[in-house]
Amino acid sequence: PWFYYFFGRPDESPGDRGFRSRGLGSGVLLRKAGKEYYVLTNHHVVGTAEEISVQLHDRREFKARLVGKDERKDLAVVSFQADGEDLPLARLGDSDSLHVGDWVLAVGNPFGLESTVTTGIVSALGRRGGPEGNISDFIQTDAAINQGNSGGALVNLAGEVVGINTCITSPTGGSIGLGFAIPINNVKRAVE
């Protein structure tokens, strides 16, 4: 199935390779409380990381910590401190107002190419499937989503986040126009 590309096969184990690797993903600045910023991303982006860092579009990097995660919805929230900063926060939209054919933008960090934006349409709503036990329905889009886009925003033309990019289906590992995002209304409930 399509989700093995991002999540791996249950019968495959990477084993103990004796080295550390660096993961890659995207996120959405969700909230600020004092000097603490909260970033929404996918559970599979943070996984079992020993260290988490957040890099902003201007390449500044901050040490972050895991606040919470929901493996079944593939969501996670991390936070970092940025004293004296006034970083822009995402505006969350209403994913229930989406229609098939609406234009959307996928924003993220595919293959480490930060601040990448691709465009497409909503191809379908309410798609089921995904990793075993996953309880999200999905927004399907043909906006290009690739490795590193996970956790990034799916945005409507009003600049509002309507979904969190999470996975693709692909026989080659690259985007073929079958990308999936978690509806932001599902995300709002989980984050609270």
Side-chain angles (χ1 to χ4, degrees), residues 29 35-39 54 56 62-65 78-82 87:
L29 282 172
K35 58 184 178 178
E36 193 90 8
Y37 282 89
Y38 294 88
V39 181
V54 172
L56 302 180
F62 297 88
K63 184 174 175 146
R65 67 177 182 87
V78 301
S79 71
F80 67 95
Q81 292 191 357
L87 302 173

Side-chain angles (χ1 to χ4, degrees), residues 64-86:
R65 67 177 182 87
L66 179 65
V67 174
K69 60 186 179 177
D70 184 333
E71 186 174 357
R72 292 188 67 208
K73 285 194 176 188
D74 193 23
L75 296 171
V77 174
V78 301
S79 71
F80 67 95
Q81 292 191 357
D83 200 14
E85 296 287 335
D86 192 20

Side-chain angles (χ1 to χ4, degrees), residues 10 13 16 18 23 52 58 60 69 77 87 94 99 107 173 189:
S13 172
D16 183 4
I52 301 171
D58 60 8
R60 287 183 296 154
K69 60 186 179 177
V77 174
L87 302 173
D94 176 10
H99 297 92
V107 183
R189 290 187 288 270

